Structures are given as structure tokens and as C-alpha cells.
Amino acid sequence: MQKTFATYETVKVLLPIAVGDGYDYIVPMSLGEVRVGDMVRVPLRNAEEIGLVIGAGNSSLPKEKIKPIISAVKNLPPVPEKLLKFMAQVADYTMTPLGNVLSLMIPESKAFEPPKNEDIFCLADGWKNAWSALSDARKTDAKKRVVECLEDAEKIGINGYAMKDLSSISSASTSVVKGMHGAKILAKKSAPKNLFGDYADYQIKYGSDNIKLSDEQQNAFANIVRKIAEFSATLIDGVTGSGKTEIYFRIIAEILKSDTDKQVLIMLPEISLTAQFLQKFKSRFGIFPTLWHSGLTATMRARNYNAIANGIAKIVVGPRSALFLPYKNLAFITVDEEHDGSYKQEEGAVYNARDMAVLRAKTENIPIVLASATPSVESYFNVEQKKYGIEKLHKRFSNATLPDVELIDMKDFENKPQKTVLGQSWFAPAVLKKIETEIIAGNQAMIFLNRRGYAPLLVCTKCGYKAACPNCDVSMVAHGVKITPQPDGKNKISGTVKCHHCGYFSSIRSTCPACGCDGNFALVGPGVDRIKLEIDERFSRYKSLVMSSDTINTSRKLNDTIAAIENREIDIIIGTQILSKGHHFPNLTLVVVVDGDMGIAGDDFRGAEKTFSMLHQVSGRAGRENKKGTVMIQTYNPEMVVMRHLKSGDKNAFIAAEMRNRRDAKMPPFAHLAALIISGKNKSKVENFCREILKSAPKDSLKKFRIMGPVDAPIAMLNGNYRKRFLVQSNLEISMQKLIRLWLGKIKIPNGIKLKIDIDPYNFM
Ligand code: ADP
Ligand code: ZN
């Protein structure tokens, strides 16, 4: 039972802000009483804020000076004690103020405002006639999903959805929804926001288990299900397309069948939450899942939040933020693509959602499954340490074979990209030949280069000036480039240069700001747009398309593009890491990696691991059905361990080698690591503060830890802020948090200086 407080008692209310550990408020007569875990509206300065009652107040102020709570948030049960405990553990582990962690749990307060009228779309009266009037070709998958989604809604007593939500839940573009409205399949109404719906009456179909699991799948499933009564962590390590999703779907069905009060959470990187995934989900469970992500409207967030907190929503799907919701009765978590870097949040509360998910599972005493085709070194380490169990899937489903990987040694003369009338090529001739062979045969090819834009560098060939961001210590990337040859033989370059960190951009001028010469700029290196130019010139009869965060900036665009690829409207797909996610294109037989060496050098000790996992995932897009796939990786370092194992496909050998390196270098997971980033606009202030904290750094008399720095952070200036970095490395038996608290506990951070503590840093910038 949660502790309760009566009228006129003082309670401590935690607010979703980075400062303080809560403020005191009086329980007003209007509320009667409040409980620990209740969400309440309180006055804060001149605004109203939503906070969480966490215990008794302790202010020494006279009671009449303490402000009363304004109201309680209706319809929500108190936040379970286990969740409060989890939040405290997250705050402790990540060294983040508890209020920052709370802000992960409560969405913007707009989501709790009383319902107002809004425009919603629902199935029109007589929609079935309008639907049958469409030709089969025009009954597209997207339209079918919209219809299914609204049928689902009717079943759970929701009278329709706002445009943004409808398109989000059904993964159809807003133009599809508008078109269906025009075709009288959908009607638009102004309706009061229906916060709840009546989920309770609706039964999820847990799927007829008519998909027969393979022996490997069945084994994994049985082993995990045997342990579902309490905490256990299991890594599902299965090659791409081996049916990992099917295993956790089956586990979920099993759990919910046995107890319909339970809830489960599927965590996915935002970008993997595609129509393909939703469709797969729908065909298994009969409805779409309850979504939780930043793309939903406040109404939808309120609705889903309520459904989750009241235990009505059974299966929740979302990226990292879904982990912090107040599930009433969470029984299982799965983290798909567990290796994915997007689980790391870098702003506010700095945490890795995969690791915190394991912590939550422990606190709730429930099982968790981490799944990946390229599990992280950390997870393998945890398997070695017997903290996680492991289930391996070696075979692709229906025996599709893994692709052949060829390393193209770019040092070889025969692989030197040619300069032709079409200009400089970025491909070895053999690679171009292979692309041609595949597309002529009617297959699709994918070209991977993890670099947005046209070229990563704009330089003056006279003085060596490089276009750099005025706010950040990085080169700017050329976008939207047009090159027009001039009568004098020079090229006129037009377009913009952009900073990928702060968003600063300017148009490309013809005079160099450093030496004043005119028309001597050159673009160095390729980005995906430059690759497209070459591909289109060489294979003009075929259709290509670029997928990068510039072209695919909403999940709808992603879905539309995936649909176009599936429908074979596209022959050659060129793209950045967006391509490495779990897409499944049956006709894709060739994957080309333009620059396999990118990302290996540099000061990220995970460079090789990240490269391996990214290239292995990209390779996994080829030959997913009965057509054999080929992968060609252009590299200057074919002898490197990561390249050799990409070729052999021997993931275990790579991991074993990588583990040895990490152990020798005393790097995670064989050591703890933390980064302190000190930043501020005033350079000398930043430097002085660094000197001050260096002075009070604890002494490592027993050689159990090392403090390195301060040095310039890899990006020494970001958004106009100077940045310095300390790295702290310690033996595993040392508590990094204790050490840092001991060190920084008494230090006051001056105004204008920001100190970011990053436990288990993942991105070194
Ligand atoms: P992964 O998550 O490992 O990449 P998926 O779960 O997406 O793999 O499965 C790959 C493909 O194989 C999908 O099209 C899926 O529907 C199919 N599949 C997986 N398991 C089975 C099964 N037991 N029977 C039939 N098809 C399956
Ligand atoms: Zn910048």
C-alpha cells in the first residue's frame, strides 16, 4: 500500500526538472488525500507543472508559506513503488538528478489537459461501398492499414484518430488519409477527445500458432518460456532473417494467454518501427500495438499513457522512452536490435536504454530478451559472465543462405576507380560491372555509404582553406550541389554547405574567404548524393533513389520508400545507415559498401565493433529469400581483422578477437569508463574550471583507476561552446559513480559552465 497524506499535510513533489529533489506542497481540502505515486498539478514559479508525490515534506517554512497542490491528474493509478525504485536506481547509476529521470516518465503536461474537441477521421457511413468501388490496384497496403486501424479503434471504443495519429499508427502518409477522405471511405468529424476508449472489452488474438517454429526457434522459445516467472536476461543471437522476431512474438503470446492482466514492452530503435514491423505484428496479434514515441499527438499520448497506466494496453511498442512508462503490470521486455547506438540518450538524462531495460526487468523481477544479429561485445561479455543466457540461431528462415562477401582491395591497380568522360568514379570497375549484371537480370542493388549530402569537404585548391562551421569545430558538408562548367575551363559550384551538428548553413560562394581567389573550390570525397549522380549517369535506364535522414525524415516517408522498393519501382538504392536496419527486400541481391574503412580509425575504441555490426547488418539485406546475395566491400585494409571476419562471416571469431583487444587495452567491458564533458562559451572559464577539478581529482594510489585529461573533446567546439573532456577508467570492482561523487561532490559548477557526466560513453564527440 502506498503511504497516504491527509488534508493540510505537507508532501514532497518531484518535478520533471534538472534542479532540486522536489518541493513541498500542502494537500488541499479539495483533494482530501494524496498517495505516494500520485501525479499532481502544482504551481511552480508562475506556471503549472505536473509532478509526482514522493513522500512527506520536510520544509521548515511555516505552513501558510507553502503553496497548495492545484489538482490531481485524473484517471491514473499511483505510480507503482517498483517504478519509483527503478527511477531512483537510474538516477543513481547515470548520476542524473531524479527530476531528469522523472521527465522521461511523464510526457509534456499538455497530454494531461482535459479533453477538447478535435478533428478526427473515422470510417464513413457506407464506407464499404466506397472501398469496394476501388480497383484492386488502388487498394494499397497503406490504405488497407488505415481501414484496419480504424476497425480496431471501433472495437476498442475509440471513435477515430487525429490525422497525425492515424498516419502514425497505420504508417500511411497523410496524403493517403486525405485521399481516402476524398473517396468517402473516411469521414472527418469534430469530436471530444476520447481519452480512454474501452480497451477493456477488446480481446487481443494471441494468434493461432499456425506458424510452425523451426527446431532452433522452438528450442530458444522453450528455454526462455521455462524461466518466465522471474528475472532472467537472454540474448537471442541469430543471423539476419533467422526469425528472432517470431520467437519473442511467441513468448509474448504465451505470457498474455496465461494471464490477460499482464503487459509486455517491445523496444525497437525508432527507425525500425516500420510498416513492415506493424504489419507483421498485426498479422500475429490481430491488432496494431499501443505505440509510444515522439511522433504522436498529445491526445494520443494521453490516451496511450492512460491505457498503459491502467493496464489496458497489453503490448506496447516504442523506442527508448517507452521504458519509463508506469506500466501497471509489466511482465516481459524485449529489446530488439540491442546493439543499436540509438538506445543511448545523450541529452538530459544520459543513459543507455538497453542497459536500463535490464535494470528495470530486474526491479520488476520479470524476464527480458535482447535480440540482435550482431550483439554488442558488452552483451557477449554478460553471457560469458553468466549474467545473460544465450540462444543462437544459425540458419536463415526457410534456408535462405547468407550472402558471399568479397573484399575489394582498393590498393590493387585493377580496382582503381576510373576517370572517364563522366568524371571521377567512386567504384572499382569490377563493382560497376557487378551492379550492371544484377540490375540487367532484374534484381535490385544497394549501395551503402554512411555519409549524407554531396561531399564531406569543400576546399580552396589555391590556399587549402576548408569550409568549416563557425560554431563548431567541424568541416561543413556540401549539399544540393550543382556543377556547371565555365568557358574558362573552371567549374562553377553551387549549393550549400551545412554543419551536421548545429544546423548552420550557408550557400557556396565562388570566392574563397581566406585568399580571395575566385572559382577554385573543389569538393573532396563522396556523399550519397554524389554517388547517385554517378549511378544515374552510368545506369540511366534504371531508377535509383537516395535514403538518408535528409530525404527520409519521417516514418511515413520511410514506409512509402520501402513500399516503392518492395514494389520494384526502384533498381538501385543508395543510402546511409538507414539501410542497415531490419528491412527485408526479397529481390535485393547485391550490396556494395563504398568505403568500408570509414569509422574504424579515430578515437572510438568501439570503431571496429561498430563497423563490423553496421556492415554485417547492411550485408544481411542481400539475398534474404531464394536468390543468392553478394556483398562487395571496397577497402584499403582488407588485411584488418574486422574486414577478414566480415568476409568469412565468422562473427564469433571477430568477437573473440575484439574481446582480446578490449581486455589488453583495459577497455569496456573489461573496465568501467566514464566521460566528463565540460563546456561553456567562455574558453578561459572552461579551462579554469578544468584546472580546478583536476586539482581535486582523487589519487590513484592503488592503480585501480585512471583519470585522463583534460584534453579537447573530439569536437572541441560545438554550438559555440568550448569543450574539454576527462576520461575516467577503472577496474570492474570499483564503483565509477562513487569515485566521481567523491571527486566532484564538493565542487560547485560555476555559472555558464556545463558539466555532462556520461557513464559508459558510447559516442565520443
Ligand atoms: P529476424 O528478426 O531474425 O531478422 P524475422 O523474425 O523477421 O527474422 O524472420 C525472417 C522471415 O522469416 C520473416 O519473413 C518471417 O515472417 C519468416 N519466419 C520466421 N519464422 C518463421 C516460421 N517459424 N515459419 C514461417 N516463417 C517464418
Ligand atoms: Zn555547427
Side-chain angles (χ1 to χ4, degrees):
M1 249 325 270
Q2 258 108 343
K3 191 165 165 33
T4 58
F5 298 91
T7 305
Y8 299 129
E9 284 192 88
T10 342
V11 293
K12 172 99 32 220
V13 175
L14 180 67
L15 295 165
I17 50 178
V19 287
D21 45 8
Y23 296 105
D24 284 4
Y25 293 91
I26 300 261
V27 180
M29 181 111 87
S30 57
L31 286 185
E33 61 170 36
V34 299
R35 297 162 293 187
V36 166
D38 275 343
M39 297 240 244
V40 291
R41 289 192 186 79
V42 295
L44 180 71
R45 286 176 212 107
N46 295 321
E48 202 178 297
E49 190 62 80
I50 290 191
L52 180 69
V53 177
I54 52 171
N58 57 358
S59 163
S60 52
L61 286 174
K63 278 210 167 166
E64 52 289 3
K65 288 261 163 85
I66 303 177
K67 291 185 182 148
I69 291 171
I70 299 169
S71 62
V73 178
K74 288 208 182 67
N75 300 331
L76 289 179
V79 171
E81 246 160 297
K82 277 184 195 158
L83 178 51
L84 298 177
K85 186 171 157 207
F86 170 64
M87 285 166 52
Q89 286 172 332
V90 173
D92 196 58
Y93 187 86
T94 60
M95 305 192 70
T96 305
L98 194 54
N100 267 348
V101 178
L102 179 67
S103 66
L104 302 173
M105 195 200 91
I106 57 181
E108 74 281 21
S109 55
K110 231 172 64 195
F112 295 102
E113 275 164 18
K116 285 193 207 94
N117 279 8
E118 64 175 350
D119 278 345
I120 58 166
F121 288 86
C122 57
L123 291 169
D125 290 339
W127 68 271
K128 281 192 177 146
N129 294 334
W131 177 255
S132 344
L134 293 185
S135 66
D136 280 349
R138 295 187 60 207
K139 287 178 187 149
T140 58
D141 285 345
K143 285 182 193 157
K144 283 183 195 154
R145 284 196 301 274
V146 171
V147 167
E148 285 175 19
C149 168
L150 289 169
E151 285 179 326
D152 280 358
E154 278 181 7
K155 286 181 216 155
I156 56 178
I158 287 171
N159 45 12
Y161 294 111
M163 171 68 94
K164 192 172 164 197
D165 293 326
L166 183 54
S167 88
S168 210
I169 314 172
S170 59
S171 277
S173 66
T174 48
S175 56
V176 166
V177 176
K178 279 185 201 141
M180 291 173 76
H181 180 228
K184 301 221 163 39
I185 299 165
L186 304 184
K188 190 159 134 185
K189 291 194 218 168
S190 171
K193 291 182 177 181
N194 176 354
L195 272 192
F196 264 119
D198 195 3
Y199 279 84
D201 286 345
Y202 184 62
Q203 289 293 314
I204 291 182
K205 294 198 276 293
Y206 297 116
S208 53
D209 297 333
N210 56 6
I211 299 180
K212 197 172 162 345
L213 297 183
S214 68
D215 290 348
E216 281 188 334
Q217 284 175 316
Q218 179 60 35
N219 253 331
F221 166 72
N223 287 340
I224 296 166
V225 163
R226 207 174 300 131
K227 303 180 286 196
I228 52 177
E230 56 189 5
F231 169 74
S232 69
T234 309
L235 178 66
I236 302 184
D237 171 7
V239 296
T240 47
S242 58
K244 298 181 287 294
T245 317
E246 203 49 51
I247 298 176
Y248 67 72
F249 276 5
R250 190 64 68 101
I251 297 169
I252 289 169
E254 194 68 21
I255 290 176
L256 297 182
K257 254 190 280 184
S258 68
D259 182 349
T260 49
D261 281 340
K262 288 185 169 167
Q263 295 172 290
V264 299
L265 164 62
I266 299 175
M267 289 169 68
L268 287 177
E270 188 131 19
I271 196 144
S272 306
L273 221 168
T274 55
Q276 275 186 336
F277 179 85
L278 294 179
Q279 202 91 58
K280 208 152 55 158
F281 185 98
K282 167 102 184 172
S283 59
R284 186 68 179 79
F285 296 109
I287 56 164
F288 289 112
T290 303
L291 295 183
W292 187 262
H293 59 74
S294 55
L296 303 174
T297 61
T299 321
M300 198 63 201
R301 282 158 84 81
R303 177 183 283 154
N304 289 354
Y305 197 85
N306 273 293
I308 289 165
N310 286 292
I312 297 166
K314 302 297 176 204
I315 311 180
V316 179
V317 174
R320 59 191 184 217
S321 55
L323 178 64
F324 293 88
L325 298 175
Y327 299 87
K328 188 170 180 210
N329 192 7
L330 190 59
F332 176 69
I333 304 175
T334 182
V335 182
D336 205 347
E337 312 286 358
E338 68 91 23
H339 65 279
D340 198 281
S342 73
Y343 284 119
K344 182 72 195 269
Q345 169 154 309
E346 299 286 349
E347 296 299 320
V350 180
Y351 68 95
N352 186 322
R354 174 200 59 210
D355 300 344
M356 295 304 110
V358 175
L359 185 63
R360 180 146 193 192
K362 233 183 242 169
T363 322
E364 305 267 354
N365 199 24
I366 57 171
I368 181 168
V369 161
L370 311 178
S372 174
T374 52
S376 59
V377 171
E378 276 79 4
S379 292
Y380 280 119
F381 180 75
N382 285 326
V383 169
E384 238 174 47
Q385 302 285 303
K386 305 260 184 300
K387 287 186 184 155
Y388 297 175
I390 185 165
E391 298 297 337
K392 290 193 177 182
L393 304 179
H394 302 91
K395 284 196 285 269
R396 278 191 155 183
F397 206 78
S398 68
N399 292 328
T401 49
L402 286 167
D404 288 331
V405 178
E406 286 176 39
L407 300 178
I408 310 296
D409 188 344
M410 301 305 276
K411 296 192 301 295
D412 283 354
F413 181 74
E414 58 181 21
N415 289 331
K416 202 169 148 34
Q418 306 291 304
K419 197 165 181 164
T420 66
V421 279
L422 299 176
Q424 176 62 52
S425 172
W426 303 100
F427 297 95
V431 171
L432 288 172
K433 187 85 204 102
K434 180 72 178 165
I435 296 175
E436 186 173 17
T437 314
E438 291 304 318
I439 55 179
I440 287 177
N443 297 323
Q444 290 169 312
M446 181 180 263
I447 298 171
F448 174 77
L449 175 64
N450 200 15
R451 205 183 262 141
R452 293 160 51 201
Y454 186 92
L457 213 54
L458 177 74
V459 299
C460 169
T461 51
K462 280 270 169 330
C463 74
Y465 163 86
K466 292 181 188 136
C469 176
N471 310 318
C472 307
D473 186 21
V474 297
S475 308
M476 291 203 286
V477 178
H479 284 256
V481 168
K482 265 221 172 73
I483 297 176
T484 340
Q486 300 295 298
D488 62 0
K490 287 180 177 176
N491 280 328
K492 181 172 159 25
I493 303 174
S494 65
T496 47
V497 276
K498 267 193 207 160
C499 172
H500 284 184
H501 292 275
C502 73
Y504 175 90
F505 65 94
S506 71
S507 55
I508 298 173
R509 272 166 235 128
S510 68
T511 42
C512 171
C515 70
C517 73
D518 193 68
N520 292 311
F521 276 129
L523 292 155
V524 182
V528 281
D529 296 343
R530 195 170 200 174
I531 296 294
K532 178 170 163 58
L533 205 70
E534 176 179 350
I535 289 295
D536 287 350
E537 274 170 352
R538 288 182 194 276
F539 306 111
S540 54
R541 289 177 38 234
Y542 294 87
K543 196 146 172 16
S544 77
L545 151 151
V546 167
M547 287 176 79
S548 75
S549 55
D550 296 304
T551 55
I552 311 287
N553 42 21
T554 63
S555 61
R556 266 153 270 144
K557 275 197 193 146
L558 178 63
N559 291 324
D560 292 350
T561 309
I562 290 173
I565 298 171
E566 281 174 337
N567 297 337
R568 305 179 71 166
E569 291 157 32
I570 307 294
D571 304 297
I572 304 170
I573 307 140
I574 302 156
T576 60
Q577 59 179 355
I578 284 190
L579 296 182
S580 66
K581 309 296 166 180
H583 312 307
H584 183 82
F585 304 125
N587 290 301
L588 188 84
T589 51
L590 173 66
V591 166
V592 172
V593 175
V594 177
D595 182 357
D597 306 322
M598 222 173 120
I600 297 182
D603 66 352
D604 183 349
F605 70 90
R606 288 193 188 86
E609 181 189 357
K610 288 177 182 173
T611 299
F612 184 85
S613 109
M614 169 133 24
L615 296 188
H616 191 81
Q617 295 274 356
V618 179
S619 305
R621 301 308 114 211
R624 286 176 66 95
E625 286 190 2
N626 37 29
K627 292 181 179 173
K628 180 81 190 165
T630 307
V631 179
M632 297 174 110
I633 302 176
Q634 303 193 136
T635 171
Y636 285 90
N637 301 292
E639 68 293 336
M640 276 181 80
V641 174
V642 36
M643 290 302 155
R644 289 208 321 261
H645 291 311
L646 278 166
K647 178 169 168 60
S648 69
D650 191 346
K651 191 167 70 178
N652 295 332
F654 171 74
I655 293 292
E658 188 62 18
M659 289 264 204
R660 279 193 297 277
N661 289 343
R662 302 279 181 90
R663 187 178 281 129
D664 294 347
K666 293 201 175 54
M667 276 293 167
F670 298 92
H672 290 313
L673 195 67
L676 309 182
I677 305 277
I678 293 109
S679 60
K681 300 254 182 251
N682 182 320
K683 192 172 182 188
S684 61
K685 227 170 156 178
V686 170
E687 284 166 350
N688 287 341
F689 184 59
C690 286
R691 265 194 291 276
E692 191 191 326
I693 57 180
L694 182 62
K695 256 191 276 165
S696 47
K699 295 287 167 292
D700 173 24
S701 45
L702 296 170
K703 296 255 175 294
K704 294 208 163 179
F705 63 90
R706 268 206 309 159
I707 291 175
M708 295 162 276
V711 294
D712 282 344
I715 298 181
M717 188 163 84
L718 192 62
N719 260 318
N721 288 295
Y722 293 91
R723 305 170 79 238
K724 293 270 177 190
R725 183 181 78 181
F726 287 91
L727 280 179
V728 191
Q729 181 194 36
S730 83
N731 289 359
L732 289 179
E733 72 265 25
I734 295 233
S735 157
M736 188 56 86
Q737 289 82 355
K738 251 193 210 154
L739 182 70
I740 295 176
R741 267 189 206 108
L742 179 79
W743 177 11
L744 301 177
K746 291 194 196 70
I747 293 179
K748 199 173 152 348
I749 301 166
N751 282 340
I753 297 281
K754 214 178 131 202
L755 169 65
K756 169 175 158 181
I757 301 178
D758 187 354
I759 304 288
D760 308 331
Y762 185 84
N763 293 307
F764 293 86
M765 56 173 261

